[in-house]
Amino acid sequence: MILNASAERLAAVHAGIATAARNARRDPASVELIAVSKTWDADAIRPLIAAGQRSFGENRVAEAQGKWPALIAATPDIRLHLIGQLQSNKAAEAVAMFDVIHSVDRPSLVSALGKAMASAGRHPDCYIQVNIGAEPQKGGCAIADIGPLLASARAAGLPIIGLMAVPPADIEAAPFFALLAQLARAHGLPGLSMGMSGDYETAVMLGATMVRVGSALFGAR
Ligand SMILES: *Cc1c(COP(=O)(O)O)cnc(C)c1O
């Protein structure tokens, strides 16, 4: 069988996930691959859908609203993940559009999402984003704030599944992945959204349940 470039890249990433999972004595099926399609248009996305990919990640609500409704109309079992910072005034639009929200990181957003979910009657799975490297320019709550934010998110009716983080660039990610895994365990959370194109295999070995892979599937942005 001749595979197109998208299908080949998808197969390569699945193989990388499977090898990393087996090395860590994990079931490869316990890791969900999110194809990060930010900046790519429908023509770039369709071949991946045709190759069987169903979970996609976007970092901007408006961009997702522009390109996904038509793609989802054609393939209704697509699951959309919001992986970028979310402004509170976009909470209702995010709740309407996304199946999973990875970037819950502050009390004002928790209350906006709680209200939006209650009025929409729709409750996307949520992850608390942690600023795991304590970088001032990055989103995510401080490690010390995970407990209080988790409590207020639960009180507001958000289904919190796990923790998400983007480790600092250009240094070894493994210690940050290990720390995020330890924090999730400490808070009794099963989900771990961590790992991108450059480090998803490491993330899987350290317990990632979702990896967010863009350029390894679509090419350089
Ligand atoms: C863009 C992005 C990714 C994907 O990055 P790649 O290096 O292209 O795989 C993953 N997570 C987040 C939060 C992103 O913004």
Side-chain angles (χ1 to χ4, degrees):
M1 183 169 69
I2 298 170
L3 297 175
N4 63 31
S6 299
E8 267 175 31
R9 287 175 179 151
L10 184 62
V13 173
H14 275 303
I17 290 171
T19 300
R22 282 193 210 97
N23 285 342
R25 305 291 182 266
R26 299 185 59 205
D27 178 2
S30 67
V31 184
E32 181 176 352
L33 170 62
I34 301 169
V36 176
S37 48
K38 66 187 186 196
T39 77
W40 295 99
D41 65 13
D43 287 342
I45 294 168
R46 257 185 233 102
L48 268 189
I49 298 174
Q53 179 64 25
R54 290 295 179 269
S55 290
F56 289 87
E58 291 285 343
N59 66 342
R60 290 163 173 274
V61 175
E63 183 183 338
Q65 287 170 327
K67 65 189 179 193
W68 279 102
L71 291 166
I72 291 171
T75 311
D77 60 339
I78 280 171
R79 276 167 61 80
L80 267 196
H81 297 251
L82 180 63
I83 61 168
Q85 279 194 40
L86 177 58
Q87 292 170 275
S88 297
N89 65 7
K90 294 270 172 63
E93 290 166 80
V95 165
M97 175 106 232
F98 290 92
D99 300 290
V100 185
I101 297 174
H102 292 239
S103 48
V104 178
D105 66 353
R106 59 195 189 278
S108 58
L109 181 58
V110 162
S111 76
L113 285 170
K115 283 180 196 138
M117 288 184 195
S119 75
R122 184 180 150 83
H123 294 80
D125 286 350
C126 291
Y127 285 70
I128 289 181
Q129 183 177 352
V130 181
N131 189 344
I132 199 74
E135 298 171 280
Q137 81 284 10
K138 256 191 198 157
C141 73
I143 288 173
D145 294 337
I146 296 172
L149 196 60
L150 181 58
S152 65
R154 287 194 168 134
L158 275 58
I160 302 284
I161 305 300
L163 301 180
M164 177 273 214
V166 182
D170 303 324
I171 60 170
E172 174 59 50
F176 297 98
F177 292 152
L179 176 57
L180 193 72
Q182 184 195 321
L183 291 164
R185 265 196 309 279
H187 290 283
L189 294 167
L192 269 180
S193 168
M194 60 186 196
M196 319 199 319
S197 291
D199 52 25
Y200 67 89
E201 287 146 308
T202 304
V204 167
M205 287 198 275
L206 291 166
T209 61
M210 287 185 174
V211 293
R212 311 177 306 267
V213 177
S215 45
L217 291 171
F218 289 97
R221 283 184 296 276

